[in-house]
Amino acid sequence: MQTPETVEAMRRAGRIAAQAMAEAAKLIAPGVTTDELDRVAHAYMCDHGAYPSTLGYRGFPKSLCTSVNEVICHGIPDSTVLRDGDIVNLDVTAYIGGVHGDNNATYLVGDVDDESRLLVERTRESLERAIKAVRPGRQVNIIGRVIESYAKRFGYGVVRDFTGHGISTSFHSGLIIPHYDSPHATTVMRPGMTFTIEPMLTLGTHEYDMWDDGWTVVTKDRRRTAQFEHTLVVTETGAEILTLP
């Protein structure tokens, strides 16, 4: 459980992370490189006194993750050029005041096909439904149950091996938040707990391959995938989102 002072610090970190993501997202358009998005988010965080949590984390070389189309998560910004019809996830975490704030969202690039657009909209909806399920006294597996039951309506895959996580003074604490209905996720939510919810839904399989870079995770069938994330604190009555711009 976090103290009110720690939660307040996380609100600040979360706000900077959300605003850095929004600034980078303004550039999203066909012809823009993922490196340019990284540059904007990096500059925003540094200009506001924060450090990009991903930069140097276990050797990760950039200040945010840019995951395009079939990339589930942890895509590394580089000279890749966004094309009309792509979807791209930006995952931004800011460290300031001794704590982290972590958020991500998937954006449309130009004119995107209906199947991809609906995947993005429904992934966002799955996160919103999961946040509404947060209550003190409930086990964290309610979060995955809500996400998986919603995703199954549309035949989407739900990524299992990459999860939400506890977060505060550590980027990733030991707490795991699965996005599927896991019988093992029996931790009971209490006021003051802080963690992320970040569902990853796919048009096909939930299975994945890892690139040789040791970071980039892609769907095994190379079909598209979307993700959304907020950092939350459990309150007496539900959840407060800490990553709001």
Side-chain angles (χ1 to χ4, degrees):
M1 305 321 122
Q2 311 304 330
T3 66
E5 293 75 19
T6 299
V7 172
E8 179 55 37
M10 291 181 68
R11 283 192 194 96
R12 182 185 180 202
R15 186 164 58 246
I16 291 172
Q19 290 172 329
M21 185 172 71
E23 286 300 307
K26 289 177 184 177
L27 268 69
I28 291 174
V32 173
T33 67
T34 53
D35 256 341
E36 291 177 72
L37 305 178
D38 178 77
R39 178 183 56 77
V40 170
H42 177 93
Y44 187 94
M45 285 185 274
C46 292
D47 288 348
H48 290 80
Y51 184 85
S53 301
T54 60
L55 184 59
Y57 178 75
R58 297 182 179 174
F60 192 83
K62 294 299 178 83
S63 297
L64 82 166
C65 302
T66 51
S67 301
V68 182
N69 295 337
E70 74 275 13
V71 180
I72 295 171
C73 57
H74 305 155
I76 300 172
D78 57 13
S79 58
T80 297
V81 175
L82 297 177
R83 298 171 301 177
D84 188 58
D86 284 346
I87 60 175
V88 57
N89 179 274
L90 305 186
D91 193 337
V92 182
T93 309
Y95 180 76
I96 187 170
V99 297
H100 301 265
D102 185 3
N103 69 162
N104 77 54
T106 302
Y107 299 89
L108 309 181
V109 184
D111 186 18
V112 175
D113 66 88
D114 285 346
E115 185 179 49
S116 299
R117 181 178 51 77
L118 285 170
L119 173 69
V120 171
E121 290 177 4
R122 290 164 176 166
T123 306
R124 181 192 293 111
E125 174 70 14
S126 76
L127 172 60
E128 292 174 358
R129 287 172 180 240
I131 291 170
K132 289 175 183 173
V134 173
R135 290 284 187 283
R138 289 180 171 176
Q139 295 181 347
V140 297
N141 59 16
I142 186 68
I143 293 168
R145 192 174 309 139
V146 165
I147 292 167
E148 186 173 43
S149 63
Y150 180 70
K152 276 185 172 178
R153 288 195 208 172
F154 311 105
Y156 296 153
V158 180
V159 173
R160 300 167 80 90
D161 291 332
F162 300 89
T163 66
H165 52 89
I167 183 170
S168 61
T169 54
S170 297
F171 190 177
H172 297 84
S173 77
L175 179 62
I176 300 297
I177 308 293
H179 303 118
Y180 64 99
D181 187 2
S182 169
H184 307 295
T186 56
T187 301
V188 174
M189 293 183 268
R190 303 292 186 203
M193 284 177 64
T194 50
F195 53 82
T196 71
I197 303 176
E198 44 187 297
M200 292 152 260
L201 305 186
T202 67
L203 288 175
T205 182
H206 69 269
E207 296 180 346
Y208 67 92
D209 292 320
M210 177 83 74
W211 284 8
D212 290 342
D213 62 22
W215 284 105
T216 307
V217 179
V218 297
T219 54
K220 191 169 277 292
D221 58 9
R222 304 302 189 263
R223 297 193 72 192
R224 288 186 171 189
T225 175
Q227 183 184 16
F228 284 84
E229 173 187 22
H230 276 305
T231 296
L232 313 167
V233 60
V234 180
T235 66
E236 297 292 342
T237 56
E240 177 194 346
I241 298 172
L242 299 177
T243 38
L244 292 175

